[in-house]
Amino acid sequence: MTIRITPRADAPAPRRKKVSSFDNFIIGKHDPARLLASLHTIIDSKSPKVCALTLLAAIEKGVLTQPTYKAVREEFPEIGDRKNYAYYLSRADNYRKEIASLLQNL
């Protein structure tokens, strides 16, 4: 009995999803560079709460669609863990006063 072993072709590497950049979530009619500069002014070196609430204010104002966690994490590492982002997004109604004050700064 003879066993023939043929080499297998190398399997292609698994495809990874591309991480969307934060710019993809800015609504078209707004200047992305100006909006990002404004967001960085408010968010940089602040707590995850301020970061998430600022993004919620931008979403409410209509200048931003809800970005993915990975896109936010790349642009604003201040957000911290995914659960921080999810926590504040799910409890936006509890922070209406803070969001209203951030709306004035955008």
Side-chain angles (χ1 to χ4, degrees), residues 4-25:
R4 293 186 182 156
I5 300 175
T6 57
R8 289 186 181 180
D10 290 335
R15 293 183 184 179
R16 293 181 181 223
K17 289 184 179 178
K18 289 185 179 180
V19 177
S20 297
S21 70
F22 193 80
D23 294 341
N24 293 342
F25 297 98

Side-chain angles (χ1 to χ4, degrees), residues 2 14 19 25-26 37 42 60 68 71 75 79 91 97:
T2 305
V19 177
F25 297 98
I26 296 173
I42 297 169
E60 280 189 18
T68 62
E75 190 68 35
I79 194 65
R91 290 170 177 79
K97 289 181 183 176

